[in-house]
Amino acid sequence: MKAVKLLLLGLFLGSSVSLASVSADSIDAMVEYSLFFENYKNKQFDDWTLEKGLNVVNTKPEQFAKYKIFKQLEDVIWFMHDSVATEEADQAALADTMLYVYGLAKEIKEDKAGYYQARKAYVMETWQEKDVDTVVQAYEQALELDPDLSSFYKDRLGMLYARNADSNNGYKMKALDLYQTLSEADPENATWISRIEGLAEDQDELRNITKRAWDLDKEDLSKAWKYADIAFKTKAYDEAIEALEFLTDKSPDVINYWNKLASAYRKTDQTNKAISGYKKLIELDPDNRDNYLNLALIYYKDLNQLSVARSYLQKATRVAPSWDYPVYIEAQLYEQAARNCGFEFMDKIVYQLAVDTYRKAANLGGQYSSAASDRVSALKNSVPTQEDYFFRNINSGSTVKIEGKCYDWIDRSVIVP
């Protein structure tokens, strides 16, 4: 590894020379790259290969960037650094070389400057074990250069914030901001919620952190949203409502605010307000099937208004014709209506309507297909028998209209099987 140390001496004295100390003008970059690449593709990652690659980037980096010279050099240096045969002093030299390559790559490939800065930060963190503040600043610079940087590097920064937070450096609030942003972008990723929860000794502290930040700057919408989001996630729905009502008042057309507010109203049994919230969402986003379904569930589960519930289920189906869930819920409405009324012939006809509707849901082949098929089997003894039809002179293929005080809202007919 003596060659690496000689190289670094030249680099950090400000010289762009090769290991042999020849002038840059005397280097044929294409020849050097050919020699480098031949070894690279054969995975001969050693001093000589590294020398040839560095000769290229020290002479004509712009020309050879299109051949992915920086990525190839990274592979070489990474292999050499992690090799069991590499001594500690040589690892330090290779780490410096890696930072030099990343720095040069940042200048040449400006569209990937954030990525290369993040790689620099990662080497400083893991290979060089630089002090925390220095590494944090390096990651922060990477995020400034590229806000859409891979979540891997954002998480590295977040963990540094979390592990080194104290009452003076503000790292805990920075970590919270970062992980909330990640959670909003990827709400299905449980890692970000876990990171947020791990930032505080308990959930009350977590809410208090964000509430204090909002209280100090009461007109700041982003701080109000962070507080609302944390309060909602920690099931402090009353606290979430305070911030969400402020947000919807200030920005009445923001769908995310209304989504959370309508849900918080329902979770706190403020049914009328929840209904108003979902109606506002339908006004803002009429093509969102979930808003119709949520209203249907409120009218069904909370208010037992089956007719109104069905109207919203049908609206959800019009928006999303292949969605099986509203059809499945509609079948539940019919089944519940029959169960609440009795077990006479007309009740059995309503059970038959429920079965027909469950079959329709099953045939859509969605998430509830299996559950719908199970309900069809479960209700096989509740539907009219052939004897029921025979004694009433009703033939197969005939239409039976659903009637009766229990069922005046249904307005449907059943075709006899």
Side-chain angles (χ1 to χ4, degrees):
M1 291 292 177
K2 181 179 180 182
V4 175
K5 297 173 186 176
L6 290 173
L7 167 72
L8 289 171
L9 180 61
L11 292 178
F12 295 107
L13 287 175
S15 170
S16 59
V17 297
S18 72
L19 291 176
S21 298
V22 298
S23 69
D25 291 338
S26 68
I27 294 176
D28 186 327
M30 182 56 77
V31 171
E32 295 294 288
Y33 182 73
S34 296
L35 294 170
F36 164 78
F37 188 71
E38 186 65 25
N39 268 18
Y40 175 81
K41 71 179 182 180
N42 291 321
K43 300 188 180 303
Q44 292 178 280
F45 298 165
D46 53 25
D47 281 358
W48 189 89
T49 304
L50 177 57
E51 173 189 351
K52 298 305 174 185
L54 288 169
N55 283 344
V56 174
V57 296
N58 281 332
T59 52
K60 294 184 178 180
E62 298 91 346
Q63 177 181 338
F64 288 88
K66 63 183 178 182
Y67 297 122
K68 301 182 179 180
I69 180 67
F70 294 112
K71 176 64 173 68
Q72 293 160 359
L73 266 173
E74 179 184 47
D75 292 342
V76 172
I77 297 170
W78 214 273
F79 179 87
M80 293 172 68
H81 179 275
D82 290 349
S83 172
V84 294
T86 303
E87 296 179 1
E88 187 173 333
D90 295 321
Q91 286 180 329
L94 285 163
D96 288 335
T97 307
M98 191 78 268
L99 294 184
Y100 170 77
V101 171
Y102 286 146
L104 190 56
K106 274 179 58 182
E107 296 176 14
I108 303 303
K109 297 181 70 65
E110 294 182 359
D111 61 319
K112 297 190 67 176
Y115 166 78
Y116 285 115
Q117 175 61 31
R119 298 298 286 168
K120 283 186 68 172
Y122 185 75
V123 168
M124 293 165 67
E125 177 194 1
T126 59
W127 287 8
Q128 295 184 319
E129 298 182 353
K130 295 278 189 181
D131 68 274
V132 171
D133 290 339
T134 299
V135 177
V136 163
Q137 288 171 12
Y139 278 122
E140 288 176 340
Q141 185 182 350
L143 278 177
E144 289 174 10
L145 291 168
D146 182 7
D148 296 323
L149 200 63
S150 165
S151 59
F152 172 83
Y153 301 109
K154 293 177 181 178
D155 191 29
R156 302 291 307 188
L157 175 58
M159 289 191 290
L160 285 171
Y161 283 147
R163 286 196 297 262
N164 298 280
D166 59 37
S167 57
N168 299 316
N169 59 20
Y171 280 0
K172 182 173 286 189
M173 196 64 200
K174 286 186 174 184
L176 185 59
D177 288 345
L178 188 150
Y179 283 120
Q180 279 191 293
T181 300
L182 284 167
S183 181
E184 289 168 17
D186 186 11
E188 300 301 318
N189 191 331
T191 298
W192 311 138
I193 301 300
S194 174
R195 296 276 196 263
I196 289 171
E197 292 173 347
L199 286 170
E201 294 181 5
D202 55 50
Q203 294 182 338
D204 290 338
E205 183 192 358
L206 198 57
R207 289 196 304 275
N208 289 337
I209 291 170
T210 51
K211 189 175 190 306
R212 282 197 301 270
W214 182 38
D215 287 341
L216 292 171
D217 193 359
K218 207 66 176 179
E219 293 302 307
D220 189 307
L221 300 187
S222 66
K223 290 178 181 176
W225 171 247
K226 288 182 174 64
Y227 170 50
D229 191 43
I230 288 297
F232 191 93
K233 287 172 179 173
T234 56
K235 300 182 180 180
Y237 301 117
D238 288 326
E239 293 184 40
I241 286 170
E242 176 193 0
L244 290 165
E245 287 181 337
F246 164 80
L247 289 164
T248 52
D249 180 64
K250 294 292 184 181
S251 299
D253 295 333
V254 178
I255 291 173
N256 281 350
Y257 299 162
W258 282 106
N259 263 325
K260 278 283 197 296
L261 182 56
S263 181
Y265 280 146
R266 191 175 182 206
K267 289 177 182 297
T268 53
D269 297 321
Q270 298 183 61
T271 304
N272 289 335
K273 288 185 175 181
I275 289 172
S276 297
Y278 285 119
K279 286 182 176 179
K280 177 65 176 179
L281 282 164
I282 288 173
E283 177 187 324
L284 293 172
D285 191 9
D287 293 330
N288 189 321
R289 65 185 192 177
D290 293 333
N291 299 323
Y292 299 103
L293 181 73
N294 284 323
L295 273 173
L297 291 174
I298 290 174
Y299 281 108
Y300 169 31
K301 301 287 188 181
D302 301 343
L303 300 176
N304 197 34
Q305 296 182 22
L306 304 187
S307 179
V308 180
R310 184 177 64 174
S311 71
Y312 281 107
L313 291 171
Q314 291 169 343
K315 289 175 182 179
T317 298
R318 283 197 289 271
V319 170
S322 62
W323 192 20
D324 63 338
Y325 192 38
V327 181
Y328 178 80
I329 297 298
E330 183 179 346
Q332 284 190 339
L333 301 184
Y334 301 139
E335 183 180 350
Q336 178 175 314
R339 187 181 299 114
N340 291 344
C341 198
F343 200 60
E344 300 300 324
F345 176 69
M346 188 53 63
D347 305 312
K348 293 181 180 182
I349 289 292
V350 176
Y351 275 121
Q352 184 64 57
L353 177 62
V355 165
D356 292 345
T357 309
Y358 278 128
R359 284 200 178 103
K360 181 180 176 182
N363 289 338
L364 287 170
Q367 181 180 353
Y368 290 85
S369 175
S370 177
S373 296
D374 289 343
R375 292 311 303 156
V376 170
S377 298
L379 295 176
K380 66 182 180 180
N381 294 323
S382 299
V383 300
T385 64
Q386 290 301 315
E387 288 78 7
D388 289 324
Y389 292 123
F390 176 79
F391 287 121
R392 290 169 178 80
N393 294 316
I394 301 174
N395 299 319
S396 177
S398 300
T399 298
V400 180
K401 183 173 175 56
I402 293 174
E403 299 174 318
K405 63 179 182 179
C406 291
Y407 309 122
D408 55 357
W409 62 275
I410 292 181
D411 191 27
R412 292 285 190 279
S413 298
V414 168
I415 298 175
V416 177

